[in-house]
Amino acid sequence: MNQGGRYDVFISYAEADSGAAETLAGRLSTEGLRVFLAKWIGPGLVESLEKEAALSSSANGILVFSTATMNDAAIRDEYAALLDRAHTGGRRFVPVLVEDVELPPFARIRRPVDLRDPGSAPFDDGLAMLVRALQPRSDAT
């Protein structure tokens, strides 16, 4: 796996976007990627500890952006952690748009994936591009 992680991708999302995040996670899983989604944390586990461990062991990070995203303090922390991993650990950070919102400055400098119109050709194209970007590379060390 890319960077030796347990997950191919960690998906960060605001609670208001849990449906969109779960749909995305399901589609990525169907493509063979190992996905961490907080909603899938099992009973009896501590969510914050599981999220921290998953973030540390993920090769890539996605942040689902909507109007709710940056209003959630926990998501702002995850955003900061995803950026830190991109800068210090060489991990990929991909902003994913699910609503028409302006990205914050450090997300804006990255090429976002537009998934605002499920069921459309641009959505399918964006998802295919995302899958290719997240797939483990055989040449990774």
Side-chain angles (χ1 to χ4, degrees):
M1 158 176 222
N2 189 16
Q3 300 289 331
R6 187 170 68 170
Y7 296 102
D8 295 312
V9 64
F10 176 99
I11 300 178
S12 176
Y13 60 96
E15 184 60 35
D17 301 318
S18 63
E22 190 163 25
T23 298
L24 174 59
R27 296 282 300 268
L28 295 176
S29 292
T30 298
E31 294 293 332
L33 294 168
R34 293 176 291 175
V35 178
F36 177 84
L37 189 72
K39 190 171 184 178
W40 295 348
I41 295 172
L45 299 174
V46 178
E47 184 173 329
S48 59
L49 296 177
E50 294 299 312
K51 287 168 83 172
E52 187 172 37
L55 182 60
S56 294
S57 65
S58 293
N60 305 285
I62 288 175
L63 180 51
V64 174
F65 280 94
S66 74
T67 55
T69 305
M70 297 313 280
N71 294 325
D72 185 320
I75 300 309
R76 286 194 308 268
D77 285 347
E78 289 178 19
Y79 173 55
L82 289 167
L83 286 173
D84 180 65
R85 289 177 49 75
H87 288 276
T88 63
R91 308 296 172 96
R92 186 182 301 247
F93 166 57
V94 182
V96 171
L97 293 165
V98 296
E99 289 181 1
D100 189 19
V101 296
E102 185 173 336
L103 293 172
F106 292 124
R108 195 175 317 129
I109 63 173
R110 288 167 169 71
R111 183 173 180 195
V113 173
D114 188 344
L115 299 181
R116 291 179 284 183
D117 191 13
S120 71
F123 178 94
D124 292 339
D125 292 345
L127 186 64
M129 181 175 60
L130 183 59
V131 167
R132 284 191 305 274
L134 300 175
Q135 286 178 331
R137 292 192 290 226
S138 60
D139 63 333
T141 56

